Amino acid sequence: MSASDIARPLSRRVLLRAGATTAVLASTGCNSFLPSSGPRINGIVGPATERAGDPGPDSDPTLHYALLTLDPGVVAAAEPDGPGKLFSVGLQAHGAAEVRFGVGDILAITIFETQSGGLFIPADAGTRPGNFITLPQQQVGRTGLVTIPFAGTVPALGRTAGELERAIAGRLRQRALEPQVIVSLVERRSASVSVVGDVDQSLRFSLDPGGERLLGAIARAGGTRFAPHETLVTLQRGGVSESAIMAEIVDNPRLNLQLAPDDTIIVSRQQRYFLALGAVGQSASITQLNRRFPFEDRRLSLADAVARAGGLQDDRANPSAVFLFRFERRPALERMGIATARFQGEEVPTVYRADLLNPASMFLAQRFQMRHNDLIFVSNAPSTDLLKFLQVLLPIAQTGYFAAGMR
């Protein structure tokens, strides 16, 4: 009998033993044979007393989402929204606020008459030089009134200096000789702006009539403690809060807003991150444990993010299946030609696909901007599952082969 005749039934026995072993492992769930860091899914889901939640099948998921493949139109439509938060158009268009008198302001009021013998200037002009009188300084009280001799109480709250001057002169016109009034602001204690948070020194200051801008207020507080690309500036006005990244404010003058009375500026650190899952990173690395990566810059493209995550694994990744998951704003999707009526909420679950086998996608990935909490997922190549199966099967087959050879 030849060696080939002996090897043929031996190989059949090895395969039968490997198949039987594989069937046993499959039937037992491999719970005790293969190593594991804890119970498998059937060991957790099966014994559950109550269950809730159903994401739906792959063909019809409960949470509907939009899928777009990167092309020049998609990238161009996504760019205007920018990489981070921006102040609304309404805030950007708000001009310098006209600062008016408020509660707590201290005023000096001077009244002029054309000649002596009037209401405030004595008939004997030699007894006092000048044709005016300066009243004692007054503070605008909670009622918003100031008191003027022979004119009574005059509303000052919410008025400019010119408006208050004309109101006082009108009250005195019937008794004084062609009265003229000058109102001066001695100390402003209203129309305040507060700057708090991650600044060198929190402060509260009053707006000057010339106005103040956002960066000027932060400069008064000594500047921010962290780099501009990881500093979030929040402006509270009229019960509404809006935010922008400090780096965007520095780069775009329109975001350096004019402040209004009672504004509150909150400066806080917000490190922006993205997540990278799937076949990314170096497969041989023992230090690539954290899949959450900081931006570390004002802007970050999809190409930058993939590179920062370690690139695609050459032995696992499917370059045509690079996906980015995010909640996209409706206007952006509508610019891309997506009908958003069937989706609920202001933000729509969206998946962007980049086919990196296409050289044009390399350029598009450099222009597509990342956002905070974006998730990148790179799928495995189809051959990966086969290799995984063979890695389990081959040791079993070899064991069966050697066991059969011993007989």
Side-chain angles (χ1 to χ4, degrees), residues 31 39-48:
N31 286 336
R40 292 178 170 80
I41 183 170
N42 290 335
I44 297 175
V45 175

Side-chain angles (χ1 to χ4, degrees), residues 86-95 213 252 254-255 257-258:
L86 299 176
F87 293 124
S88 65
V89 176
L91 278 183
Q92 295 180 37
H94 195 278
R213 290 187 178 270
N252 187 351
R254 291 181 300 175
L255 300 180
L257 306 177
Q258 285 280 358

Side-chain angles (χ1 to χ4, degrees), residues 140-151:
V140 179
R142 291 187 176 276
T143 59
L145 304 173
V146 292
T147 301
I148 307 299
F150 307 108

Side-chain angles (χ1 to χ4, degrees), residues 135 138 145-155 168 171-172 175:
L135 303 179
Q138 294 189 62
L145 304 173
V146 292
T147 301
I148 307 299
F150 307 108
T153 55
V154 181
I168 295 174
R171 293 280 189 96
L172 297 174
R175 308 188 66 176

Side-chain angles (χ1 to χ4, degrees), residues 26 55 66 68 73 114 129 160 236 276 342 375 406:
L68 301 101
T114 55
T160 63
Q236 292 183 347
R342 65 177 300 181
L375 188 152
M406 296 294 291

Side-chain angles (χ1 to χ4, degrees), residues 22-355:
T22 304
V24 171
L25 293 177
S27 63
T28 60
C30 306
N31 286 336
S32 58
F33 183 78
L34 296 178
S36 174
S37 60
R40 292 178 170 80
I41 183 170
N42 290 335
I44 297 175
V45 175
T49 305
E50 295 288 341
R51 304 181 190 179
D54 181 12
D58 295 341
S59 59
D60 185 20
T62 303
L63 179 64
H64 299 289
Y65 57 88
L67 174 64
L68 301 101
T69 299
L70 292 190
D71 62 18
V74 169
V75 173
E79 281 180 340
D81 286 70
K85 298 180 179 179
L86 299 176
F87 293 124
S88 65
V89 176
L91 278 183
Q92 295 180 37
H94 195 278
E98 187 175 19
V99 181
R100 297 173 176 269
F101 296 137
V103 174
D105 289 346
I106 298 177
L107 310 179
I109 302 173
T110 302
I111 302 174
F112 292 79
E113 289 187 283
T114 55
Q115 57 185 350
S116 60
L119 184 61
F120 296 100
I121 302 175
D124 186 359
T127 59
R128 182 174 57 80
N131 60 340
F132 63 89
I133 182 174
T134 299
L135 303 179
Q137 295 178 0
Q138 294 189 62
Q139 185 176 38
V140 179
R142 291 187 176 276
T143 59
L145 304 173
V146 292
T147 301
I148 307 299
F150 307 108
T153 55
V154 181
L157 183 64
R159 283 180 163 174
T160 63
E163 292 171 349
L164 182 57
E165 289 167 357
R166 289 189 290 272
I168 295 174
R171 293 280 189 96
L172 297 174
R173 188 164 290 115
Q174 301 300 321
R175 308 188 66 176
L177 299 177
E178 300 181 23
Q180 300 292 319
V181 180
I182 293 179
V183 177
S184 302
L185 178 65
V186 177
E187 182 179 353
R188 184 177 296 283
R189 297 182 179 177
S190 66
S192 60
V193 171
S194 300
V195 185
V196 298
D198 289 321
V199 291
D200 186 64
Q201 184 177 4
S202 298
L203 59 82
R204 184 172 182 264
F205 66 93
S206 297
L207 281 178
D208 296 326
E212 183 63 276
R213 290 187 178 270
L214 188 59
L215 292 181
I218 295 175
R220 288 193 185 209
T224 61
R225 296 178 181 174
F226 302 101
H229 66 265
E230 59 183 30
T231 298
L232 185 70
V233 179
T234 301
L235 178 66
Q236 292 183 347
R237 176 180 297 174
V240 178
S241 296
E242 294 193 26
S243 303
I245 300 297
M246 181 73 170
E248 296 294 329
I249 301 174
V250 174
D251 186 63
N252 187 351
R254 291 181 300 175
L255 300 180
N256 189 18
L257 306 177
Q258 285 280 358
L259 299 179
D262 300 322
D263 279 354
T264 298
I265 302 168
I266 304 171
V267 180
S268 59
R269 187 183 189 189
Q270 186 189 73
Q271 287 186 294
R272 293 178 294 164
Y273 293 90
F274 70 92
L275 288 81
L277 305 177
V280 294
Q282 302 300 322
S283 57
S285 173
I286 61 174
T287 60
Q288 189 72 25
L289 299 178
N290 190 358
R291 295 299 183 111
R292 187 169 180 255
F293 301 88
F295 273 37
E296 296 181 352
D297 206 344
R298 183 171 68 90
R299 291 178 182 269
L300 194 73
S301 69
L302 176 58
D304 292 330
V306 172
R308 184 163 296 175
L312 306 186
Q313 289 189 13
D314 186 60
D315 57 345
R316 284 183 52 197
N318 182 357
S320 65
V322 178
F323 301 99
L324 184 141
F325 294 75
R326 74 160 54 139
F327 285 91
E328 188 61 87
R329 290 181 282 271
R330 285 179 177 271
L333 289 178
E334 291 169 356
R335 290 196 300 267
M336 301 173 197
I338 297 295
T340 61
R342 65 177 300 181
F343 297 102
Q344 298 180 352
E346 292 298 321
E347 295 184 328
V348 177
T350 305
V351 180
Y352 292 95
R353 172 177 173 260
D355 180 5

Side-chain angles (χ1 to χ4, degrees), residues 357-378:
L357 286 178
N358 186 338
S361 296
M362 297 288 190
F363 296 101
L364 296 172
Q366 294 180 56
R367 291 177 50 194
F368 190 84
Q369 299 298 317
M370 298 287 292
R371 295 186 192 152
H372 181 51
N373 278 334
D374 277 354
L375 188 152
I376 297 173
F377 179 78
V378 180

